[in-house]
Amino acid sequence: MSGIIERYNGFVEAYRQRHDNRDPGFFKFAKYALKAFFGYSVKTHNAGKHIFKGPGDSNTPAAKGLDSRAVTGMNEHSICRDPSEAPEGYHRVGVPDDKVSWNTPFEDYKPSEYTAVSVLRQPVWADPLKPKDVNWKDKAHQSHLGEIKFDQTGMPLNPKGRTGTEGRGQLGKWGPNHAADPIITRDGPDGTYELLLIKRGDNGQWALPGGMVDPTDASFSAAAIRELAEEALNSPEVLDDDIKSQLALLEGQLKIKGETDKEIEARIIGLRNKLVFEKLKNSPGFQQPEEVYKGYVDDRRNTDNAWMETAAYHTHIEGSNPYLNKPEAGDDAQHAQWVEVTPELVNSLYASHPDIVKHVPRIKEICA
Ligand code: BGC
């Protein structure tokens, strides 16, 4: 039994090393270096009041040391049009505010095409290469925003309009790509209010500990709590004797079956998260989370044909909870922590998370 725990701690350590290497400063540098080296394909981009020409332009949010939303006025479709926010591989062409809508003619519109190689390889989470081969009736392809519109060639159209990039970018699915987000709050010291957050591994921004919905998730809210367990509840202290013995049993069975170390690691992490998830749901002070938002997300990975949507669930933790006292990052997160809610913190959160968390009345009040 102690072997399994050491082993598990080893996994946590391996995660941490992987994520510690992903320093956000390094990401920013690499992003700009790549663009500078391979040429910056974006001509001009008008998102709001400013024209963004590229990384050297003193009008870019990065050059001004500002969050792009502060510049663009938190429009729900601005991060996904902003070239300076785009992940590597994306080369967004400019989409002025008045040309965002598909109903507005934009004859010169020539979006660049990009689908990441990791998506084109068609892993299990990715769709077929052509949208016509997608089963548009299945649950995973339904949009929270209602009926999906297609262009004449059968390409699904982003419900909020043009983004400057076509294809799927880094997103696996054509059309909506579903995430689920837990909003976990508690009272902090001296009348403060705290939010459980992670630092994302991909860009170092504070974000809700959410993630993509899996086909095996029973519901969006179950996906949100599973993600919470995966992203933020990785402290070995959450493993009680019952969980430890179930993990040890599984490890023994898999070893007898002659599974590879990699397979054993993946299965143990999967079972661990499932068990922590079940225990958390039934733990003291943990109320069933309530849905506060379901809809589009202004995510930097969105394209004209693939976009993020999320469903967010809030619960306020009363008193001490053994699973949530000491958050510890796992999966895609670099770091997990309770953070005091301030307007500055909220406005700096990832993608549409600033708007989403403001659906919690107390957070809205603090930010007013
Ligand atoms: C994140 C979610 C987020 C979604 C849309 C996912 O990668 O894990 O927290 O809401 O993207 O931005």
Side-chain angles (χ1 to χ4, degrees):
M1 200 134 79
S2 68
I4 189 86
I5 295 306
E6 278 159 25
R7 192 182 166 79
Y8 174 70
N9 285 341
F11 299 154
V12 172
E13 196 41 45
Y15 267 134
R16 201 170 285 135
Q17 282 172 10
R18 277 216 296 275
H19 293 302
D20 281 354
N21 290 338
R22 299 187 187 175
D23 172 48
F26 169 78
F27 265 106
K28 271 223 144 81
F29 169 75
K31 180 171 140 185
Y32 287 125
L34 269 175
K35 282 184 177 167
F37 188 73
F38 291 113
Y40 197 70
S41 73
V42 178
K43 293 167 209 149
T44 57
H45 172 74
N46 180 0
K49 297 174 219 110
H50 297 276
I51 308 283
F52 303 141
K53 298 199 185 81
D57 178 4
S58 60
N59 267 338
T60 60
K64 284 172 179 278
L66 291 171
D67 186 295
S68 65
R69 282 161 296 193
V71 178
T72 57
M74 283 285 289
N75 176 314
E76 63 176 1
H77 194 66
S78 45
I79 297 171
C80 65
R81 281 187 287 146
D82 184 344
S84 74
E85 289 270 356
E88 280 157 32
Y90 287 66
H91 295 286
R92 298 201 186 275
V93 303
V95 181
D97 285 349
D98 60 355
K99 295 276 189 340
V100 167
S101 167
W102 296 110
N103 297 329
T104 311
F106 187 2
E107 270 146 36
D108 296 339
Y109 184 55
K110 293 203 174 49
S112 62
E113 209 278 334
Y114 177 59
T115 301
V117 175
S118 54
V119 173
L120 294 173
R121 280 198 202 112
Q122 297 201 66
V124 279
W125 45 269
D127 270 347
L129 296 178
K130 301 263 181 280
K132 71 171 176 41
D133 297 324
V134 167
N135 175 6
W136 289 101
K137 293 210 160 51
D138 76 6
K139 213 170 110 217
H141 287 92
Q142 304 310 305
S143 168
H144 294 316
L145 287 88
E147 203 184 314
I148 299 171
K149 300 217 161 53
F150 295 84
D151 71 9
Q152 310 88 309
T153 67
M155 294 286 245
L157 291 176
N158 186 315
K160 299 288 173 182
R162 301 179 174 101
T163 67
T165 301
E166 62 184 9
R168 278 175 290 166
Q170 294 180 347
L171 300 177
K173 300 208 160 36
W174 293 103
N177 285 254
H178 286 286
D181 284 298
I183 306 178
I184 313 294
T185 55
R186 71 175 186 189
D187 296 321
D190 306 321
T192 56
Y193 197 62
E194 295 183 336
L195 184 57
L196 183 55
L197 294 176
I198 55 145
K199 250 188 196 234
R200 286 182 63 100
D202 59 354
N203 70 350
Q205 244 178 313
W206 284 112
L208 295 169
M212 307 306 287
V213 174
D214 284 347
T216 52
D217 290 321
S219 61
F220 289 112
S221 66
I225 309 175
R226 177 187 52 72
E227 280 293 337
L228 171 67
E230 280 182 29
E231 302 265 338
L233 307 187
N234 280 276
S235 155
E237 285 165 43
V238 302
L239 303 183
D240 59 20
D241 286 348
D242 176 39
I243 298 185
K244 285 179 200 166
S245 61
Q246 293 202 50
L247 295 180
L249 189 69
L250 177 68
E251 185 184 34
Q253 287 167 345
L254 294 174
K255 276 192 169 149
I256 291 169
K257 277 175 79 184
E259 298 287 0
T260 62
D261 279 359
K262 208 170 155 223
E263 175 65 18
I264 296 178
E265 174 180 336
R267 294 277 302 275
I268 288 181
I269 292 177
L271 178 64
R272 177 205 180 273
N273 289 335
K274 197 167 150 250
L275 296 173
V276 172
F277 160 84
E278 289 299 334
K279 299 254 171 183
L280 172 69
K281 273 201 311 191
N282 301 311
S283 62
F286 191 84
Q287 312 279 346
Q288 176 62 27
E290 269 178 47
E291 184 184 302
V292 293
Y293 179 80
K294 224 178 205 178
Y296 185 76
V297 184
D298 185 14
D299 189 288
R300 64 199 200 111
R301 294 165 292 184
N302 291 355
T303 69
D304 288 358
N305 316 115
W307 59 91
M308 288 301 313
E309 296 189 9
T310 198
Y313 297 84
H314 172 232
T315 190
H316 186 76
I317 306 298
E318 300 289 354
S320 168
N321 178 294
Y323 297 95
L324 295 165
N325 284 347
K326 286 196 193 147
E328 208 163 304
D331 203 21
D332 307 330
Q334 283 180 21
H335 188 65
Q337 188 181 317
W338 286 100
V339 187
E340 184 188 337
V341 176
T342 61
E344 296 72 36
L345 170 84
V346 169
N347 289 328
S348 72
L349 295 178
Y350 182 74
S352 301
H353 292 184
D355 291 336
I356 293 172
V357 299
K358 284 183 200 153
H359 285 87
V360 174
R362 179 76 192 279
I363 298 184
K364 187 173 176 198
E365 196 184 295
I366 294 172
C367 295

